[in-house]
């Protein structure tokens, strides 16, 4: 984690951790929470490094370059365990193994021992209960770092045993700057202003259909009142039972259409623009329920067409 970046983007997190580290008053368990895209995992590693580094800076944070810091980064430190929870749920077995590992290592060693449980809000209930027992009897020198998207999905009894460090959501301006490193300005702007998180934006940009749908949506906006254009959409873009006929990709389409209408790409009255916006926002809501996707899209094409030719 770039310390300067953390200081700039999450000043409260930075200050809270800095004070705790400098005064050697970090709780034996810390819970980092915040939306996807907030640098919780990177901060957890920085925190683990700061607990073992012997070359900490004036704010109490690790140097990130010494061998102790490097070993944590590479997960090679014997006194550091990182249970990855980003792909699979953390299970009871892993908590028990962790417990066993820490109990087997000598308590007389002066070394601090740290474990990081990533995305603990997705851990199984059995895992959470096992951890609770572990947290109830904190052994000296052992530090727990937990991360979660949602604080409310962590057992209240675990919450109450942790120092809570909340991350604030990234602003759309900051997200746009980040997205610009990966894509063109138009896509960066659309993704940032339509509520895409870093993960969702990365997934969209990695999919060739995203750019395809982008181009088609732009052209659709220019000709949306023409029946041949609607026919073209049905036959070439969102084909019934085709690969692109998924909720996720239809949402990309709705977002792009909204983006171009709001940008004023199509010269229509403000009143019509507002009506189309309502159709698109309501559709994005409806698609969350079980709907027949091809019929659902046909309805949108027709509603937008009616507004434009009215
Ligand atoms: Zn260091």
């Amino acid at each position: 984690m770039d310390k300067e970046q953390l200081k700039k983007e999450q000043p409260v997190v930075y200050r809270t951790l800095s004070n705790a580290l400098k005064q050697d008053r970090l709780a034996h368990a810390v819970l980092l929470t915040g939306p996807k895209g907030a640098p919780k995992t990177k901060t957890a590693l920085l925190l683990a490094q700061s607990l073992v580094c012997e070359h900490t800076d004036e704010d109490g944070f690790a140097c990130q370059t010494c061998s102790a810091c490097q070993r944590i980064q590479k997960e090679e430190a014997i006194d550091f365990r990182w249970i990855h929870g980003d792909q699979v749920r953390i299970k009871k077995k892993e908590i028990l193994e962790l417990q066993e590992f820490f109990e087997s290592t000598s308590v007389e060693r002066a070394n601090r021992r740290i474990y990081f449980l990533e995305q603990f809000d997705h851990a199984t209930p059995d895992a959470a209960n096992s951890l609770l027992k572990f947290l109830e009897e904190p052994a000296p020198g052992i530090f727990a770092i937990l991360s979660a998207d949602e604080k409310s999905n962590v057992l209240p009894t675990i919450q109450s045993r942790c120092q809570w460090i909340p991350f604030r959501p990234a602003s759309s301006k900051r997200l746009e700057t980040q997205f610009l490193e990966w894509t063109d300005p138009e896509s960066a702007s659309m993704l940032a202003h339509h509520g895409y998180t870093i993960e969702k934006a990365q997934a969209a940009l990695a999919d060739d259909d995203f750019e395809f749908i982008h181009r088609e949506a732009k052209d659709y906006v220019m000709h949306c009142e023409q029946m041949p254009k609607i026919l073209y959409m049905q036959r070439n873009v969102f084909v019934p039972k085709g690969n692109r006929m998924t909720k996720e990709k239809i949402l990309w389409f709705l977002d792009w259409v909204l983006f171009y209408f709001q940008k004023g790409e199509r010269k229509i009255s403000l009143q019509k623009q507002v009506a189309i916006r309502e159709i698109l926002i309501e559709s994005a809501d409806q698609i969350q329920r079980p709907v027949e996707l091809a019929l659902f899209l046909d309805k949108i094409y027709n509603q937008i067409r009616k507004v434009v030719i009215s």
Side-chain angles (χ1 to χ4, degrees):
M1 178 77 205
D2 183 336
K3 290 182 274 183
E4 282 307 310
Q5 201 183 341
L6 181 68
K7 192 175 183 175
K8 212 169 68 199
E9 291 180 12
Q10 302 282 345
V12 180
V13 171
Y14 185 90
R15 235 177 13 250
T16 311
L17 293 178
S18 169
N19 286 339
L21 288 167
K22 274 192 299 191
Q23 297 165 22
D24 202 12
R25 283 173 58 182
L26 192 75
H28 74 94
V30 170
L31 172 62
L32 310 171
T33 67
K36 284 212 180 302
K40 302 186 291 285
T41 295
K42 287 178 180 170
T43 303
L45 291 180
L46 174 63
L47 189 54
Q49 290 172 323
S50 303
L51 285 166
V52 298
C53 179
E54 287 176 3
H55 315 276
T56 48
D57 63 19
E58 54 181 8
D59 287 336
F61 288 105
C63 73
Q64 296 190 295
T65 52
C66 72
S67 61
C69 284
Q70 291 290 318
R71 277 200 297 274
I72 291 214
Q73 186 71 40
K74 294 180 189 151
E75 290 182 74
E76 289 168 0
I78 47 163
D79 292 322
F80 174 65
R81 281 285 179 281
W82 174 0
I83 312 287
H84 294 254
D86 50 345
Q87 301 293 335
V88 284
R89 304 178 75 183
I90 295 178
K91 293 177 198 70
K92 179 179 177 179
K93 189 172 152 264
E94 291 168 297
I95 301 294
L96 294 179
E97 278 169 5
L98 187 75
Q99 219 164 331
E100 211 173 290
F101 169 77
F102 278 109
E103 276 163 6
S104 68
T105 49
S106 165
V107 278
E108 275 147 44
R109 284 171 54 190
N111 288 3
R112 285 168 159 177
R113 291 166 294 161
I114 305 144
Y115 58 94
F116 168 35
L117 304 174
E118 193 181 17
Q119 293 273 201
F120 200 71
D121 45 350
H122 297 163
T124 65
D126 279 350
N129 282 318
S130 303
L131 177 70
L132 185 58
K133 289 193 201 108
F134 200 17
L135 287 178
E136 274 168 345
E137 300 149 19
I142 295 186
F143 291 86
I145 304 170
L146 280 65
S147 73
D149 293 344
E150 287 285 338
K151 186 191 184 198
S152 58
N153 289 343
V154 176
L155 277 185
T157 39
I158 289 183
Q159 286 178 30
S160 67
R161 283 173 173 79
C162 295
Q163 181 176 2
W164 181 39
I165 311 278
F167 286 66
R168 65 175 192 195
S171 72
S172 54
K173 189 80 213 129
R174 209 172 327 121
L175 279 174
E176 190 173 345
T177 312
Q178 170 74 70
F179 295 162
L180 264 178
E181 289 178 20
W182 304 326
T183 187
D184 59 282
E186 224 165 41
S187 298
S189 169
M190 191 288 264
L191 291 165
H193 294 96
H194 284 76
Y196 284 71
T197 59
I198 295 214
E199 278 81 2
K200 273 174 91 181
Q202 277 175 325
L205 293 169
D207 192 321
D208 291 340
D209 279 339
F210 182 75
E211 183 48 30
F212 175 80
I213 289 169
H214 173 188
R215 285 197 309 271
E216 293 297 343
K218 189 172 184 176
D219 203 61
Y220 164 78
V221 167
M222 301 312 289
H223 306 99
C224 57
E225 76 286 16
Q226 300 170 8
M227 286 311 287
K229 186 69 199 173
I230 294 179
L231 222 64
Y232 171 87
M233 295 301 293
Q234 293 164 333
R235 287 181 182 165
N236 300 288
V237 183
F238 290 105
V239 184
K241 296 193 170 63
N243 290 340
R244 280 188 288 270
M245 192 61 96
T246 67
K247 285 189 180 186
E248 187 191 25
K249 291 177 185 184
I250 292 172
L251 278 168
W252 294 344
F253 175 70
L254 299 181
D255 285 339
W256 273 120
V257 172
L258 181 60
F259 176 81
Y260 282 117
F261 271 113
Q262 284 188 322
K263 217 178 149 210
E265 198 82 2
R266 183 74 200 261
K267 302 282 172 257
I268 52 171
S269 69
L270 185 64
Q271 201 184 354
K272 287 183 180 182
Q273 224 185 78
V274 171
I276 289 174
R277 184 186 151 82
E278 266 167 32
I279 293 169
L280 291 166
I281 289 177
E282 199 179 309
S283 301
D285 197 38
Q286 279 169 358
I287 201 173
Q288 304 304 339
R289 287 170 239 151
V291 285
E292 210 289 298
L293 295 174
L295 289 175
F296 171 82
L297 271 170
D298 287 348
K299 200 175 122 201
I300 298 172
Y301 298 144
N302 281 316
Q303 284 177 320
I304 292 180
R305 176 172 183 269
K306 269 191 199 152
V307 172
V308 174
I309 60 175
S310 64

